[in-house]
Amino acid sequence: TLFNLDERTPLGWPQGGMPSRPQGPYYCSVGPENSFGRHITDAHYKACLYAGIEISGTNGEVMPGQQEYQVGPCIGIDAGDQLMMSRYILQRVCEDFQVYCTLHPKPIVEGDWNGAGMHTNVSTKEMREEGGIDAIRKAIYKLGAKHEEHIAVYGTGNELRLTGKHETASINDFCFGVANRGASIRIGRDTEAEGKGYFEDRRPASNCDPYVVSGKIMSTIMEDVEVPVIEPMDKSEA
């Protein structure tokens, strides 16, 4: 989330107040009344490309002043290396523009505003092969069995973000669904249709340690254990 140097006012917000419009029109937006910080994200994107970072996208987020970028696909520990370097580059770019950037998962707790996560897309060779959806489901069941362990290492302040509202599942519950932003784990519509692909762990906070998160996910899903089956969440419940 990008702030003015007072560290209290997000870009696009009136000082000491809140935007006149609710969240919604700012997501993937264009126009000076909707998009705040594109000069930061464009400069960061170009700098990451120059540095060899596998940056693959960027977009304005739901809350004004909140921006997102994606890194990957990456293999193994390279995911952590690349994300950490991208964070360093982000701070250098914000320094140039004299903008304060925080990775806190819920920098604005008053009002009806989304938090920020480090959604983590996961895929193994087996998941990408024919019939890989079965491997994806089994991995999700294993993640559900160790939900509390994962939450414990998924970043600080995450309890403020994972409330069951604002496109999150409750920090106290584990669930998964297809094309469901209100689930702990989301399976994409394309993955379901093709019967193979990847899944998205939506629980990690934006300030989490990517080495810890990627390592914890892999250690859990590669275990040879039997765990209970979990029924998918209906999208209408999001």
Side-chain angles (χ1 to χ4, degrees):
T1 306
L2 303 175
F3 282 75
N4 291 292
L5 289 182
D6 61 8
E7 300 184 19
R8 294 191 300 272
T9 310
L11 296 191
W13 290 48
Q15 191 167 6
M18 290 193 176
S20 59
R21 296 177 299 158
Q23 63 180 22
Y26 315 103
Y27 180 61
C28 297
S29 63
V30 296
E33 75 281 13
N34 297 319
S35 181
F36 311 103
R38 192 185 300 278
H39 57 303
I40 301 291
T41 57
D42 281 356
H44 176 247
Y45 195 91
K46 293 173 184 177
C48 282
L49 289 176
Y50 183 80
I53 302 297
E54 297 288 339
I55 190 168
S56 50
T58 182
N59 60 271
E61 259 302 335
V62 178
M63 188 184 84
Q66 199 178 63
Q67 297 284 339
E68 174 184 313
Y69 67 94
Q70 299 89 35
V71 172
C74 300
I75 299 175
I77 199 170
D78 190 44
D81 292 341
Q82 296 218 23
L83 190 61
M84 290 301 286
M85 284 307 302
S86 76
R87 287 177 176 177
Y88 168 76
I89 293 171
L90 177 60
Q91 291 297 331
R92 289 294 303 270
V93 169
C94 287
E95 179 185 322
D96 287 343
F97 288 100
Q98 288 294 281
V99 167
Y100 172 73
C101 178
T102 178
L103 297 180
H104 193 283
K106 194 73 171 181
I108 303 295
V109 294
E110 296 180 3
D112 189 27
W113 305 105
N114 275 30
M118 192 195 80
H119 297 164
T120 305
N121 296 329
V122 181
S123 179
T124 63
K125 184 174 183 292
E126 183 182 9
M127 294 176 189
R128 295 189 296 274
E129 295 175 341
E130 293 301 319
I133 192 69
D134 291 333
I136 290 173
R137 291 196 185 100
K138 289 176 182 177
I140 291 172
Y141 303 157
K142 293 175 184 179
L143 290 169
K146 291 193 171 184
H147 176 62
E148 292 80 9
E149 287 186 25
H150 282 255
I151 289 296
V153 298
Y154 272 11
T156 58
N158 217 9
E159 72 281 356
L160 300 173
R161 167 179 162 261
L162 297 180
T163 62
K165 300 178 180 179
H166 305 120
E167 299 181 327
T168 71
S170 169
I171 196 170
N172 299 312
D173 302 314
F174 180 88
C175 56
F176 82 96
V178 175
N180 194 327
R181 292 173 180 265
S184 308
I185 305 287
R186 177 170 65 164
I187 296 175
R189 184 68 72 193
D190 288 349
T191 295
E192 180 196 39
E194 295 176 9
K196 59 184 178 180
Y198 69 95
F199 68 86
E200 174 193 36
D201 192 339
R202 298 176 59 82
R203 296 172 296 171
S206 49
N207 62 1
C208 70
D209 184 328
Y211 296 106
V212 172
V213 169
S214 57
K216 183 64 175 175
I217 290 174
M218 291 308 297
S219 66
T220 294
I221 69 174
M222 299 307 290
E223 283 185 326
D224 185 15
V225 294
E226 293 294 327
V227 293
V229 171
I230 302 171
E231 293 299 321
M233 179 184 182
D234 192 287
K235 188 175 180 181
S236 64
E237 300 175 26

mmCIF file of all heavy atoms in Angstrom, residues 125-171:
data_model
loop_
_atom_site.group_PDB
_atom_site.id
_atom_site.type_symbol
_atom_site.label_atom_id
_atom_site.label_comp_id
_atom_site.label_asym_id
_atom_site.label_seq_id
_atom_site.Cartn_x
_atom_site.Cartn_y
_atom_site.Cartn_z
ATOM 1 N N LYS A 125 4.797 -30.902 -10.975
ATOM 2 C CA LYS A 125 4.736 -31.575 -12.278
ATOM 3 C C LYS A 125 3.506 -32.466 -12.369
ATOM 4 O O LYS A 125 2.811 -32.494 -13.388
ATOM 5 C CB LYS A 125 6.012 -32.396 -12.506
ATOM 6 C CG LYS A 125 6.107 -33.060 -13.880
ATOM 7 C CD LYS A 125 7.458 -33.726 -14.048
ATOM 8 C CE LYS A 125 7.614 -34.341 -15.453
ATOM 9 N NZ LYS A 125 6.701 -35.493 -15.632
ATOM 10 N N GLU A 126 3.221 -33.181 -11.286
ATOM 11 C CA GLU A 126 2.058 -34.070 -11.272
ATOM 12 C C GLU A 126 0.761 -33.296 -11.454
ATOM 13 O O GLU A 126 -0.164 -33.750 -12.135
ATOM 14 C CB GLU A 126 2.016 -34.852 -9.961
ATOM 15 C CG GLU A 126 0.883 -35.865 -9.885
ATOM 16 C CD GLU A 126 0.821 -36.605 -8.562
ATOM 17 O OE1 GLU A 126 1.554 -36.217 -7.629
ATOM 18 O OE2 GLU A 126 0.038 -37.571 -8.472
ATOM 19 N N MET A 127 0.685 -32.099 -10.858
ATOM 20 C CA MET A 127 -0.527 -31.292 -10.965
ATOM 21 C C MET A 127 -0.758 -30.770 -12.380
ATOM 22 O O MET A 127 -1.892 -30.497 -12.766
ATOM 23 C CB MET A 127 -0.460 -30.109 -9.998
ATOM 24 C CG MET A 127 -0.481 -30.496 -8.539
ATOM 25 S SD MET A 127 -0.281 -29.035 -7.483
ATOM 26 C CE MET A 127 -0.054 -29.816 -5.877
ATOM 27 N N ARG A 128 0.312 -30.635 -13.143
ATOM 28 C CA ARG A 128 0.197 -30.090 -14.500
ATOM 29 C C ARG A 128 -0.031 -31.164 -15.549
ATOM 30 O O ARG A 128 -0.281 -30.852 -16.711
ATOM 31 C CB ARG A 128 1.454 -29.280 -14.846
ATOM 32 C CG ARG A 128 1.633 -28.039 -13.977
ATOM 33 C CD ARG A 128 2.759 -27.165 -14.489
ATOM 34 N NE ARG A 128 4.064 -27.810 -14.432
ATOM 35 C CZ ARG A 128 4.864 -27.818 -13.363
ATOM 36 N NH1 ARG A 128 4.474 -27.210 -12.249
ATOM 37 N NH2 ARG A 128 6.039 -28.415 -13.399
ATOM 38 N N GLU A 129 0.063 -32.430 -15.153
ATOM 39 C CA GLU A 129 -0.162 -33.522 -16.083
ATOM 40 C C GLU A 129 -1.637 -33.904 -16.110
ATOM 41 O O GLU A 129 -2.423 -33.455 -15.275
ATOM 42 C CB GLU A 129 0.707 -34.720 -15.703
ATOM 43 C CG GLU A 129 2.203 -34.446 -15.842
ATOM 44 C CD GLU A 129 3.062 -35.595 -15.353
ATOM 45 O OE1 GLU A 129 2.536 -36.439 -14.582
ATOM 46 O OE2 GLU A 129 4.255 -35.643 -15.714
ATOM 47 N N GLU A 130 -2.024 -34.738 -17.069
ATOM 48 C CA GLU A 130 -3.415 -35.171 -17.179
ATOM 49 C C GLU A 130 -3.877 -35.793 -15.860
ATOM 50 O O GLU A 130 -3.173 -36.607 -15.268
ATOM 51 C CB GLU A 130 -3.575 -36.184 -18.323
ATOM 52 C CG GLU A 130 -3.342 -35.589 -19.706
ATOM 53 C CD GLU A 130 -4.294 -34.444 -20.000
ATOM 54 O OE1 GLU A 130 -5.497 -34.554 -19.658
ATOM 55 O OE2 GLU A 130 -3.843 -33.434 -20.590
ATOM 56 N N GLY A 131 -5.054 -35.386 -15.424
ATOM 57 C CA GLY A 131 -5.580 -35.882 -14.154
ATOM 58 C C GLY A 131 -4.985 -35.202 -12.950
ATOM 59 O O GLY A 131 -5.198 -35.641 -11.809
ATOM 60 N N GLY A 132 -4.261 -34.109 -13.177
ATOM 61 C CA GLY A 132 -3.579 -33.417 -12.081
ATOM 62 C C GLY A 132 -4.497 -32.822 -11.039
ATOM 63 O O GLY A 132 -4.062 -32.522 -9.923
ATOM 64 N N ILE A 133 -5.779 -32.680 -11.365
ATOM 65 C CA ILE A 133 -6.725 -32.111 -10.400
ATOM 66 C C ILE A 133 -6.820 -32.976 -9.142
ATOM 67 O O ILE A 133 -7.050 -32.473 -8.037
ATOM 68 C CB ILE A 133 -8.122 -31.935 -11.038
ATOM 69 C CG1 ILE A 133 -9.025 -31.087 -10.156
ATOM 70 C CG2 ILE A 133 -8.740 -33.273 -11.373
ATOM 71 C CD1 ILE A 133 -8.634 -29.638 -10.072
ATOM 72 N N ASP A 134 -6.599 -34.286 -9.290
ATOM 73 C CA ASP A 134 -6.627 -35.170 -8.116
ATOM 74 C C ASP A 134 -5.451 -34.851 -7.186
ATOM 75 O O ASP A 134 -5.612 -34.839 -5.958
ATOM 76 C CB ASP A 134 -6.577 -36.633 -8.549
ATOM 77 C CG ASP A 134 -7.849 -37.073 -9.244
ATOM 78 O OD1 ASP A 134 -8.914 -36.480 -8.970
ATOM 79 O OD2 ASP A 134 -7.781 -38.013 -10.074
ATOM 80 N N ALA A 135 -4.280 -34.597 -7.766
ATOM 81 C CA ALA A 135 -3.118 -34.234 -6.960
ATOM 82 C C ALA A 135 -3.336 -32.883 -6.291
ATOM 83 O O ALA A 135 -2.909 -32.664 -5.151
ATOM 84 C CB ALA A 135 -1.860 -34.191 -7.833
ATOM 85 N N ILE A 136 -4.012 -31.980 -6.977
ATOM 86 C CA ILE A 136 -4.314 -30.668 -6.401
ATOM 87 C C ILE A 136 -5.232 -30.824 -5.199
ATOM 88 O O ILE A 136 -4.995 -30.227 -4.141
ATOM 89 C CB ILE A 136 -4.953 -29.751 -7.471
ATOM 90 C CG1 ILE A 136 -3.907 -29.357 -8.517
ATOM 91 C CG2 ILE A 136 -5.574 -28.511 -6.829
ATOM 92 C CD1 ILE A 136 -4.466 -28.601 -9.703
ATOM 93 N N ARG A 137 -6.277 -31.628 -5.333
ATOM 94 C CA ARG A 137 -7.211 -31.827 -4.215
ATOM 95 C C ARG A 137 -6.510 -32.468 -3.025
ATOM 96 O O ARG A 137 -6.727 -32.072 -1.871
ATOM 97 C CB ARG A 137 -8.392 -32.684 -4.670
ATOM 98 C CG ARG A 137 -9.316 -31.992 -5.655
ATOM 99 C CD ARG A 137 -10.641 -32.731 -5.752
ATOM 100 N NE ARG A 137 -11.514 -32.163 -6.772
ATOM 101 C CZ ARG A 137 -11.671 -32.656 -7.996
ATOM 102 N NH1 ARG A 137 -10.995 -33.751 -8.348
ATOM 103 N NH2 ARG A 137 -12.481 -32.085 -8.853
ATOM 104 N N LYS A 138 -5.675 -33.478 -3.291
ATOM 105 C CA LYS A 138 -4.963 -34.127 -2.189
ATOM 106 C C LYS A 138 -4.046 -33.143 -1.469
ATOM 107 O O LYS A 138 -3.921 -33.162 -0.244
ATOM 108 C CB LYS A 138 -4.155 -35.313 -2.721
ATOM 109 C CG LYS A 138 -5.011 -36.492 -3.162
ATOM 110 C CD LYS A 138 -4.162 -37.604 -3.764
ATOM 111 C CE LYS A 138 -5.034 -38.753 -4.256
ATOM 112 N NZ LYS A 138 -4.216 -39.822 -4.903
ATOM 113 N N ALA A 139 -3.390 -32.258 -2.223
ATOM 114 C CA ALA A 139 -2.529 -31.241 -1.613
ATOM 115 C C ALA A 139 -3.349 -30.291 -0.749
ATOM 116 O O ALA A 139 -2.927 -29.906 0.356
ATOM 117 C CB ALA A 139 -1.790 -30.459 -2.704
ATOM 118 N N ILE A 140 -4.520 -29.924 -1.209
ATOM 119 C CA ILE A 140 -5.388 -29.025 -0.450
ATOM 120 C C ILE A 140 -5.849 -29.682 0.842
ATOM 121 O O ILE A 140 -5.881 -29.045 1.901
ATOM 122 C CB ILE A 140 -6.589 -28.599 -1.312
ATOM 123 C CG1 ILE A 140 -6.114 -27.691 -2.456
ATOM 124 C CG2 ILE A 140 -7.646 -27.881 -0.466
ATOM 125 C CD1 ILE A 140 -7.188 -27.358 -3.470
ATOM 126 N N TYR A 141 -6.181 -30.956 0.793
ATOM 127 C CA TYR A 141 -6.584 -31.669 2.013
ATOM 128 C C TYR A 141 -5.447 -31.648 3.050
ATOM 129 O O TYR A 141 -5.694 -31.466 4.255
ATOM 130 C CB TYR A 141 -6.967 -33.114 1.696
ATOM 131 C CG TYR A 141 -8.069 -33.284 0.674
ATOM 132 C CD1 TYR A 141 -8.187 -34.478 -0.059
ATOM 133 C CD2 TYR A 141 -8.991 -32.273 0.426
ATOM 134 C CE1 TYR A 141 -9.189 -34.654 -0.990
ATOM 135 C CE2 TYR A 141 -10.001 -32.446 -0.518
ATOM 136 C CZ TYR A 141 -10.091 -33.624 -1.232
ATOM 137 O OH TYR A 141 -11.083 -33.802 -2.168
ATOM 138 N N LYS A 142 -4.221 -31.836 2.573
ATOM 139 C CA LYS A 142 -3.074 -31.810 3.482
ATOM 140 C C LYS A 142 -2.877 -30.419 4.086
ATOM 141 O O LYS A 142 -2.562 -30.280 5.274
ATOM 142 C CB LYS A 142 -1.805 -32.248 2.749
ATOM 143 C CG LYS A 142 -1.800 -33.705 2.309
ATOM 144 C CD LYS A 142 -0.559 -34.033 1.491
ATOM 145 C CE LYS A 142 -0.597 -35.458 0.961
ATOM 146 N NZ LYS A 142 0.600 -35.770 0.137
ATOM 147 N N LEU A 143 -3.066 -29.399 3.274
ATOM 148 C CA LEU A 143 -2.950 -28.029 3.790
ATOM 149 C C LEU A 143 -4.027 -27.748 4.830
ATOM 150 O O LEU A 143 -3.771 -27.075 5.835
ATOM 151 C CB LEU A 143 -3.056 -27.032 2.637
ATOM 152 C CG LEU A 143 -1.874 -27.000 1.665
ATOM 153 C CD1 LEU A 143 -2.221 -26.180 0.431
ATOM 154 C CD2 LEU A 143 -0.631 -26.431 2.339
ATOM 155 N N GLY A 144 -5.222 -28.254 4.602
ATOM 156 C CA GLY A 144 -6.296 -28.062 5.567
ATOM 157 C C GLY A 144 -6.011 -28.721 6.905
ATOM 158 O O GLY A 144 -6.366 -28.188 7.959
ATOM 159 N N ALA A 145 -5.350 -29.885 6.859
ATOM 160 C CA ALA A 145 -5.034 -30.607 8.097
ATOM 161 C C ALA A 145 -4.011 -29.861 8.948
ATOM 162 O O ALA A 145 -3.908 -30.099 10.157
ATOM 163 C CB ALA A 145 -4.524 -32.004 7.762
ATOM 164 N N LYS A 146 -3.239 -28.960 8.334
ATOM 165 C CA LYS A 146 -2.223 -28.204 9.067
ATOM 166 C C LYS A 146 -2.486 -26.695 8.986
ATOM 167 O O LYS A 146 -1.556 -25.889 8.980
ATOM 168 C CB LYS A 146 -0.834 -28.516 8.502
ATOM 169 C CG LYS A 146 -0.368 -29.936 8.794
ATOM 170 C CD LYS A 146 1.118 -30.105 8.494
ATOM 171 C CE LYS A 146 1.621 -31.447 8.984
ATOM 172 N NZ LYS A 146 3.086 -31.590 8.782
ATOM 173 N N HIS A 147 -3.762 -26.336 8.940
ATOM 174 C CA HIS A 147 -4.140 -24.931 8.777
ATOM 175 C C HIS A 147 -3.492 -24.025 9.835
ATOM 176 O O HIS A 147 -2.900 -22.989 9.509
ATOM 177 C CB HIS A 147 -5.664 -24.798 8.837
ATOM 178 C CG HIS A 147 -6.155 -23.392 8.779
ATOM 179 N ND1 HIS A 147 -5.942 -22.568 7.694
ATOM 180 C CD2 HIS A 147 -6.852 -22.656 9.694
ATOM 181 C CE1 HIS A 147 -6.495 -21.378 7.917
ATOM 182 N NE2 HIS A 147 -7.056 -21.412 9.118
ATOM 183 N N GLU A 148 -3.567 -24.425 11.098
ATOM 184 C CA GLU A 148 -3.035 -23.578 12.174
ATOM 185 C C GLU A 148 -1.518 -23.407 12.048
ATOM 186 O O GLU A 148 -1.001 -22.318 12.300
ATOM 187 C CB GLU A 148 -3.385 -24.167 13.546
ATOM 188 C CG GLU A 148 -4.865 -24.128 13.899
ATOM 189 C CD GLU A 148 -5.655 -25.246 13.235
ATOM 190 O OE1 GLU A 148 -5.027 -26.161 12.630
ATOM 191 O OE2 GLU A 148 -6.901 -25.214 13.311
ATOM 192 N N GLU A 149 -0.825 -24.473 11.650
ATOM 193 C CA GLU A 149 0.630 -24.382 11.479
ATOM 194 C C GLU A 149 0.993 -23.374 10.391
ATOM 195 O O GLU A 149 1.940 -22.593 10.534
ATOM 196 C CB GLU A 149 1.206 -25.755 11.114
ATOM 197 C CG GLU A 149 1.234 -26.753 12.253
ATOM 198 C CD GLU A 149 1.941 -28.031 11.843
ATOM 199 O OE1 GLU A 149 2.790 -27.975 10.914
ATOM 200 O OE2 GLU A 149 1.646 -29.089 12.439
ATOM 201 N N HIS A 150 0.235 -23.379 9.332
ATOM 202 C CA HIS A 150 0.514 -22.461 8.234
ATOM 203 C C HIS A 150 0.200 -21.019 8.624
ATOM 204 O O HIS A 150 0.994 -20.102 8.359
ATOM 205 C CB HIS A 150 -0.279 -22.868 6.989
ATOM 206 C CG HIS A 150 0.325 -24.019 6.257
ATOM 207 N ND1 HIS A 150 1.020 -23.880 5.079
ATOM 208 C CD2 HIS A 150 0.366 -25.348 6.558
ATOM 209 C CE1 HIS A 150 1.449 -25.052 4.672
ATOM 210 N NE2 HIS A 150 1.062 -25.972 5.548
ATOM 211 N N ILE A 151 -0.932 -20.817 9.259
ATOM 212 C CA ILE A 151 -1.300 -19.456 9.683
ATOM 213 C C ILE A 151 -0.217 -18.872 10.591
ATOM 214 O O ILE A 151 0.100 -17.668 10.513
ATOM 215 C CB ILE A 151 -2.655 -19.472 10.416
ATOM 216 C CG1 ILE A 151 -3.791 -19.736 9.416
ATOM 217 C CG2 ILE A 151 -2.888 -18.156 11.152
ATOM 218 C CD1 ILE A 151 -3.969 -18.668 8.362
ATOM 219 N N ALA A 152 0.388 -19.704 11.419
ATOM 220 C CA ALA A 152 1.401 -19.233 12.367
ATOM 221 C C ALA A 152 2.631 -18.654 11.676
ATOM 222 O O ALA A 152 3.347 -17.833 12.268
ATOM 223 C CB ALA A 152 1.812 -20.374 13.303
ATOM 224 N N VAL A 153 2.884 -19.058 10.418
ATOM 225 C CA VAL A 153 4.090 -18.583 9.730
ATOM 226 C C VAL A 153 3.757 -17.768 8.473
ATOM 227 O O VAL A 153 4.631 -17.485 7.659
ATOM 228 C CB VAL A 153 5.018 -19.758 9.351
ATOM 229 C CG1 VAL A 153 5.494 -20.481 10.595
ATOM 230 C CG2 VAL A 153 4.329 -20.735 8.393
ATOM 231 N N TYR A 154 2.504 -17.370 8.334
ATOM 232 C CA TYR A 154 2.061 -16.678 7.128
ATOM 233 C C TYR A 154 2.076 -15.150 7.250
ATOM 234 O O TYR A 154 1.465 -14.478 6.423
ATOM 235 C CB TYR A 154 0.663 -17.161 6.734
ATOM 236 C CG TYR A 154 0.660 -18.384 5.845
ATOM 237 C CD1 TYR A 154 1.811 -19.131 5.619
ATOM 238 C CD2 TYR A 154 -0.515 -18.825 5.224
ATOM 239 C CE1 TYR A 154 1.801 -20.248 4.804
ATOM 240 C CE2 TYR A 154 -0.537 -19.941 4.399
ATOM 241 C CZ TYR A 154 0.623 -20.651 4.202
ATOM 242 O OH TYR A 154 0.611 -21.765 3.392
ATOM 243 N N GLY A 155 2.774 -14.616 8.227
ATOM 244 C CA GLY A 155 2.903 -13.162 8.327
ATOM 245 C C GLY A 155 2.273 -12.599 9.588
ATOM 246 O O GLY A 155 1.394 -13.218 10.197
ATOM 247 N N THR A 156 2.730 -11.411 9.970
ATOM 248 C CA THR A 156 2.225 -10.752 11.179
ATOM 249 C C THR A 156 1.073 -9.810 10.829
ATOM 250 O O THR A 156 1.037 -9.227 9.748
ATOM 251 C CB THR A 156 3.346 -9.950 11.862
ATOM 252 O OG1 THR A 156 3.862 -8.975 10.939
ATOM 253 C CG2 THR A 156 4.470 -10.860 12.312
ATOM 254 N N GLY A 157 0.135 -9.688 11.768
ATOM 255 C CA GLY A 157 -1.023 -8.830 11.547
ATOM 256 C C GLY A 157 -2.079 -9.449 10.654
ATOM 257 O O GLY A 157 -3.060 -8.793 10.287
ATOM 258 N N ASN A 158 -1.915 -10.719 10.325
ATOM 259 C CA ASN A 158 -2.826 -11.371 9.387
ATOM 260 C C ASN A 158 -4.221 -11.556 9.976
ATOM 261 O O ASN A 158 -5.199 -11.688 9.229
ATOM 262 C CB ASN A 158 -2.255 -12.722 8.955
ATOM 263 C CG ASN A 158 -2.541 -13.048 7.498
ATOM 264 O OD1 ASN A 158 -3.018 -12.210 6.740
ATOM 265 N ND2 ASN A 158 -2.257 -14.280 7.106
ATOM 266 N N GLU A 159 -4.309 -11.562 11.313
ATOM 267 C CA GLU A 159 -5.621 -11.707 11.938
ATOM 268 C C GLU A 159 -6.520 -10.501 11.650
ATOM 269 O O GLU A 159 -7.748 -10.600 11.694
ATOM 270 C CB GLU A 159 -5.468 -11.909 13.453
ATOM 271 C CG GLU A 159 -5.029 -10.677 14.236
ATOM 272 C CD GLU A 159 -3.533 -10.409 14.133
ATOM 273 O OE1 GLU A 159 -2.813 -11.224 13.513
ATOM 274 O OE2 GLU A 159 -3.090 -9.386 14.695
ATOM 275 N N LEU A 160 -5.911 -9.362 11.341
ATOM 276 C CA LEU A 160 -6.695 -8.174 10.986
ATOM 277 C C LEU A 160 -7.265 -8.272 9.585
ATOM 278 O O LEU A 160 -8.276 -7.645 9.264
ATOM 279 C CB LEU A 160 -5.809 -6.925 11.092
ATOM 280 C CG LEU A 160 -5.204 -6.625 12.455
ATOM 281 C CD1 LEU A 160 -4.222 -5.464 12.362
ATOM 282 C CD2 LEU A 160 -6.305 -6.325 13.461
ATOM 283 N N ARG A 161 -6.615 -9.061 8.751
ATOM 284 C CA ARG A 161 -7.015 -9.207 7.341
ATOM 285 C C ARG A 161 -7.943 -10.385 7.112
ATOM 286 O O ARG A 161 -8.936 -10.270 6.393
ATOM 287 C CB ARG A 161 -5.751 -9.348 6.483
ATOM 288 C CG ARG A 161 -6.002 -9.810 5.070
ATOM 289 C CD ARG A 161 -4.701 -9.910 4.270
ATOM 290 N NE ARG A 161 -4.885 -10.739 3.095
ATOM 291 C CZ ARG A 161 -4.532 -12.013 2.995
ATOM 292 N NH1 ARG A 161 -3.907 -12.609 4.012
ATOM 293 N NH2 ARG A 161 -4.763 -12.692 1.891
ATOM 294 N N LEU A 162 -7.631 -11.538 7.703
ATOM 295 C CA LEU A 162 -8.405 -12.758 7.461
ATOM 296 C C LEU A 162 -9.613 -12.797 8.389
ATOM 297 O O LEU A 162 -9.618 -13.466 9.415
ATOM 298 C CB LEU A 162 -7.521 -13.994 7.665
ATOM 299 C CG LEU A 162 -6.324 -14.133 6.720
ATOM 300 C CD1 LEU A 162 -5.536 -15.400 7.047
ATOM 301 C CD2 LEU A 162 -6.765 -14.136 5.262
ATOM 302 N N THR A 163 -10.651 -12.076 7.994
ATOM 303 C CA THR A 163 -11.842 -11.919 8.845
ATOM 304 C C THR A 163 -13.052 -12.658 8.298
ATOM 305 O O THR A 163 -14.087 -12.722 8.960
ATOM 306 C CB THR A 163 -12.197 -10.436 8.965
ATOM 307 O OG1 THR A 163 -12.513 -9.921 7.664
ATOM 308 C CG2 THR A 163 -11.044 -9.643 9.564
ATOM 309 N N GLY A 164 -12.942 -13.183 7.084
ATOM 310 C CA GLY A 164 -14.113 -13.749 6.430
ATOM 311 C C GLY A 164 -14.833 -12.729 5.562
ATOM 312 O O GLY A 164 -15.816 -13.054 4.908
ATOM 313 N N LYS A 165 -14.332 -11.509 5.558
ATOM 314 C CA LYS A 165 -14.880 -10.443 4.718
ATOM 315 C C LYS A 165 -13.783 -9.960 3.766
ATOM 316 O O LYS A 165 -12.641 -10.353 3.877
ATOM 317 C CB LYS A 165 -15.379 -9.275 5.570
ATOM 318 C CG LYS A 165 -16.482 -9.640 6.557
ATOM 319 C CD LYS A 165 -16.885 -8.432 7.388
ATOM 320 C CE LYS A 165 -17.978 -8.782 8.384
ATOM 321 N NZ LYS A 165 -18.341 -7.609 9.216
ATOM 322 N N HIS A 166 -14.161 -9.081 2.846
ATOM 323 C CA HIS A 166 -13.199 -8.447 1.946
ATOM 324 C C HIS A 166 -12.348 -9.473 1.192
ATOM 325 O O HIS A 166 -11.129 -9.391 1.150
ATOM 326 C CB HIS A 166 -12.301 -7.470 2.715
ATOM 327 C CG HIS A 166 -13.074 -6.444 3.473
ATOM 328 N ND1 HIS A 166 -12.976 -6.307 4.846
ATOM 329 C CD2 HIS A 166 -13.967 -5.513 3.058
ATOM 330 C CE1 HIS A 166 -13.776 -5.323 5.242
ATOM 331 N NE2 HIS A 166 -14.386 -4.828 4.170
ATOM 332 N N GLU A 167 -13.010 -10.465 0.619
ATOM 333 C CA GLU A 167 -12.351 -11.477 -0.209
ATOM 334 C C GLU A 167 -11.346 -12.319 0.573
ATOM 335 O O GLU A 167 -10.274 -12.661 0.066
ATOM 336 C CB GLU A 167 -11.667 -10.822 -1.421
ATOM 337 C CG GLU A 167 -12.631 -10.089 -2.337
ATOM 338 C CD GLU A 167 -11.967 -9.474 -3.546
ATOM 339 O OE1 GLU A 167 -10.795 -9.046 -3.456
ATOM 340 O OE2 GLU A 167 -12.621 -9.427 -4.598
ATOM 341 N N THR A 168 -11.693 -12.656 1.800
ATOM 342 C CA THR A 168 -10.858 -13.550 2.601
ATOM 343 C C THR A 168 -11.727 -14.593 3.290
ATOM 344 O O THR A 168 -12.932 -14.395 3.472
ATOM 345 C CB THR A 168 -10.070 -12.794 3.700
ATOM 346 O OG1 THR A 168 -10.976 -12.349 4.734
ATOM 347 C CG2 THR A 168 -9.321 -11.605 3.127
ATOM 348 N N ALA A 169 -11.094 -15.686 3.673
ATOM 349 C CA ALA A 169 -11.720 -16.647 4.575
ATOM 350 C C ALA A 169 -11.300 -16.294 5.998
ATOM 351 O O ALA A 169 -10.278 -15.653 6.212
ATOM 352 C CB ALA A 169 -11.278 -18.066 4.229
ATOM 353 N N SER A 170 -12.075 -16.710 6.980
ATOM 354 C CA SER A 170 -11.727 -16.457 8.375
ATOM 355 C C SER A 170 -10.424 -17.153 8.730
ATOM 356 O O SER A 170 -10.161 -18.274 8.283
ATOM 357 C CB SER A 170 -12.844 -16.947 9.294
ATOM 358 O OG SER A 170 -12.422 -16.933 10.651
ATOM 359 N N ILE A 171 -9.624 -16.500 9.541
ATOM 360 C CA ILE A 171 -8.353 -17.073 9.984
ATOM 361 C C ILE A 171 -8.581 -18.347 10.791
ATOM 362 O O ILE A 171 -7.689 -19.200 10.889
ATOM 363 C CB ILE A 171 -7.569 -16.033 10.817
ATOM 364 C CG1 ILE A 171 -6.098 -16.448 10.945
ATOM 365 C CG2 ILE A 171 -8.212 -15.819 12.184
ATOM 366 C CD1 ILE A 171 -5.212 -15.361 11.541
#
